[in-house]
Amino acid sequence: EVQLVESGGGLVKPGGSLRLSCAASGFTFSSYSINWVRQAPGKGLAWVSSISSSSSYIYYADSVKGRFTISRDNAKNSLYLQMNSLRAEDTAVYYCARGLGFCRGGYCYARRFDYWGQGTLVTVSS
Amino acid sequence: DIQMTQSPSSLSASVGDRVTITCQASQDISNYLNWYQQKPGKAPKLLIYDASNLETGVPSRFSGSGSGTDFTFTISSLQPEDIATYYCQQYDNIPITFGQGTRLEIK
């Protein structure tokens, strides 16, 4: 059974840092793109970042570029999101989602998110 | 960025009704469109991929159609367990973008 389990969320002050983790099981982790998608309270879904199977292709939403860093450890079947310089508008549930790969025009990312974790809540507040 | 506009934002229907949600892209995205269902307090679930393909295990009352800029998601006969918010998502370009969601309620 495919499972994705996020951890590391919590309450942090504006300007602070947090590191999210996503532990994967039930599939060959090293063969898939993994992504972060977030959802602010009462709002819709927003893609945050994507990392390809071998970490060769990494992308970020403009809203987090320069502040967030995505990484993965295929030996540990784990995905990470280092979040620095956090802002109130980063408050959200953060989901990791498995992506089926898609390459076109020099870009490689997920064409769909077929499995999702349960999410971890990040609250940025003083 | 490609903007995805869903309509309606919310809708109320009766059990057994045919329900249709539309999603319009701000530019041609071919068939690079997916639909997700999200129930309250839960993670999203993939229902339809590449505009019209039913994900494995998803009931056949769900369907999708369209290409280019205009897409449609349909529930042929609404069931009580279909109460959720539905999102379209494009993958034609980075950044991947979602529609704002359509909240479906039972009348």
Side-chain angles (χ1 to χ4, degrees):
Chain A
E1 178 192 7
V2 173
Q3 281 200 318
L4 297 163
V5 180
E6 302 93 338
S7 60
L11 175 63
V12 61
K13 289 181 168 52
S17 298
L18 213 53
R19 189 195 197 206
L20 305 184
S21 299
C22 172
S25 61
F27 66 101
T28 305
F29 182 75
S30 59
S31 296
Y32 289 86
S33 156
I34 308 291
N35 305 260
W36 289 101
V37 177
R38 68 185 181 184
Q39 187 169 36
K43 303 297 184 183
L45 302 170
W47 170 79
V48 172
S49 182
S50 171
I51 185 167
S52 64
S53 57
S54 61
S55 304
S56 298
Y57 298 90
I58 290 175
Y59 306 101
Y60 299 98
D62 284 347
S63 58
V64 307
K65 202 173 294 183
R67 301 186 299 123
F68 290 11
T69 302
I70 192 172
S71 62
R72 64 190 294 163
D73 185 336
N74 286 345
K76 295 182 178 179
N77 289 348
S78 293
L79 172 77
Y80 307 102
L81 186 68
Q82 178 65 43
M83 305 187 295
N84 298 331
S85 303
L86 283 161
R87 306 166 180 167
E89 54 265 36
D90 296 318
T91 295
V93 173
Y94 285 74
Y95 295 100
C96 63
R98 191 179 84 165
L100 296 180
F102 175 73
C103 291
R104 194 179 65 156
Y107 289 82
C108 289
Y109 52 94
R111 62 177 180 261
R112 60 185 180 265
F113 307 126
D114 61 346
Y115 286 94
W116 299 61
Q118 84 289 349
T120 187
L121 175 63
V122 172
T123 303
V124 184
S125 175
S126 54
Chain B
D1 298 3
I2 298 175
Q3 308 301 318
M4 307 301 294
T5 304
Q6 285 182 235
S7 61
S9 295
S10 64
L11 88 106
S12 182
S14 300
V15 173
D17 281 356
R18 182 180 183 88
V19 170
T20 298
I21 298 169
T22 64
C23 180
Q24 186 170 58
S26 59
Q27 65 187 66
D28 189 337
I29 60 169
S30 184
N31 68 330
Y32 297 156
L33 183 108
N34 305 314
W35 291 95
Y36 298 85
Q37 174 193 65
Q38 186 179 33
K39 296 184 177 181
K42 300 295 186 183
K45 175 186 176 183
L46 176 66
L47 298 182
I48 302 287
Y49 65 92
D50 298 346
S52 61
N53 294 292
L54 196 66
E55 177 70 349
T56 302
V58 173
S60 59
R61 64 180 180 275
F62 297 100
S63 65
S65 64
S67 67
T69 60
D70 295 301
F71 301 86
T72 300
F73 172 82
T74 300
I75 306 173
S76 60
S77 177
L78 184 66
Q79 300 302 302
E81 61 267 30
D82 300 336
I83 298 314
T85 300
Y86 293 85
Y87 295 93
C88 61
Q89 171 246 318
Q90 68 80 22
Y91 66 93
D92 181 67
N93 243 322
I94 289 285
I96 292 167
T97 49
F98 291 86
Q100 81 278 13
T102 295
R103 184 176 177 182
L104 178 55
E105 298 175 337
I106 293 284
K107 194 181 292 182

